[in-house]
Amino acid sequence: MTVRVAHNGRSTVGVPVWIFVPAAIGALLVVAPLAAMFTRIDWSNFLGLITSESAVAALILSLKTATASTAVCVAMGVPMAIVLSRSSIRGLSILRSLVVLPLVLPPVVGGIALLYTFGRQGLLGEHLDAFGIRIAFTTSAVVLAQVFVSLPFLVVSVEGALRTAGDRYDVVAATLGATPTTVLRRVTVPLILPGLISGTVLAFARALGEFGATLTFAGSLEGVTRTLPLEIYLQRESDPDAAVALSLVLILVAALVVVTARGTRSSGTL
């Protein structure tokens, strides 16, 4: 075993040399396809390809719906994470499994589930339709589809932060006379803020790249439900150069989100 002293003065255990081989192969499997895509971009017409009317509309719609769905995820996901980590209600393990299920479900299955729930003949959609409320194949459907697939990311991140922080500070605040709401607002949330920000960033990135559930539940109506991933899919058949260019835009936006999250974490606020 080799012990090394890092630049911050902390001792670290050396990594076995052989482990760099599978690590390098794994990195290559991720980097190589991205690099290959860069070689196929028509740089001379790049600006024109990504500023077409349909491309701009799709990008704006993606940013708007991803922002809206992330706000919904925060509003519902934080309370869910608190219940899962702090409550002793029976059946929480089953609830946790159901909450994270969209992480492993094919997105198209999620879209079908949403369609049979909020569609005109769906479980809830039939009753909503009686009041003139239609969700399927509208912008609201895009937001719902994004919430369905991205909510687990936020719940898992916040729940993990809550379990790591523990409840000792909450107990101290409660013994000093603070109400549960005050404890939550003044103690719990500040403690888990890094995890909350991380989960919010992940939820936004996942919502931005959502495709399968959106296509199944919301369709592909330009300016209404056609997000950037759907626009890329359609352009792939008619204009491959535009599809590659728009793919690069989506990659850059996602990379910016991830780098921002990593940078904030490194600085100590995430």
Side-chain angles (χ1 to χ4, degrees):
M1 179 183 296
T2 303
V3 179
R4 301 173 180 173
V5 178
H7 66 278
N8 57 6
R10 297 178 59 184
S11 298
T12 59
V13 179
V15 178
V17 176
W18 63 265
I19 209 167
F20 285 96
V21 176
I25 295 175
L28 185 63
L29 288 175
V30 175
V31 175
L34 298 177
M37 192 184 69
F38 270 83
T39 65
R40 300 299 301 269
I41 294 176
D42 183 4
W43 293 107
S44 60
N45 299 314
F46 179 75
L47 188 60
L49 293 172
I50 65 173
T51 56
S52 65
E53 184 177 348
S54 60
V56 172
L59 177 59
I60 292 175
L61 181 64
S62 289
L63 293 174
K64 286 182 177 180
T65 54
T67 301
S69 63
T70 302
V72 174
C73 286
V74 172
M76 297 189 303
V78 174
M80 289 173 62
I82 292 173
V83 169
L84 290 174
S85 63
R86 294 286 194 262
S87 178
S88 57
I89 300 174
R90 281 188 173 184
L92 282 182
S93 59
I94 298 176
L95 176 60
R96 182 180 293 106
S97 300
L98 293 175
V99 168
V100 302
L101 192 58
L103 288 175
V104 296
L105 278 180
V108 66
V109 174
I112 293 175
L114 289 170
L115 190 61
Y116 281 112
T117 304
F118 296 102
R120 294 186 61 181
Q121 304 298 321
L123 182 65
L124 300 179
E126 184 177 2
H127 302 288
L128 293 174
D129 190 62
F131 293 96
I133 302 175
R134 297 181 180 179
I135 297 179
F137 305 105
T138 66
T139 304
S140 298
V142 177
V143 175
L144 269 177
Q146 292 175 345
V147 169
F148 182 81
V149 300
S150 59
L151 181 60
F153 287 90
L154 188 136
V155 173
V156 169
S157 296
V158 175
E159 185 188 1
L162 284 164
R163 294 188 181 279
T164 300
D167 61 354
R168 57 189 183 278
Y169 295 110
D170 300 32
V171 172
V172 171
T175 57
L176 293 176
T179 64
T181 300
T182 301
V183 172
L184 177 64
R185 179 171 55 89
R186 300 291 297 273
V187 180
T188 307
V189 171
L191 280 175
I192 66 167
L193 191 58
L196 175 57
I197 297 175
S198 178
T200 302
V201 170
L202 289 174
F204 178 83
R206 180 63 185 89
L208 194 64
E210 162 50 30
F211 172 78
T214 302
L215 181 61
T216 307
F217 179 47
S220 180
L221 305 174
E222 185 174 349
V224 180
T225 64
R226 186 178 300 172
T227 56
L228 191 57
L230 269 65
E231 178 69 16
I232 293 172
Y233 177 77
L234 294 175
Q235 292 287 0
R236 185 178 62 90
E237 298 294 335
S238 59
D239 191 350
D241 289 337
V244 175
L246 293 175
S247 297
L248 177 60
V249 172
L250 190 58
I251 289 174
L252 291 177
V253 173
L256 179 62
V257 170
V258 173
V259 170
T260 300
R262 294 289 297 178
T264 310
R265 177 177 298 170
S266 299
S267 65
T269 57
L270 182 61

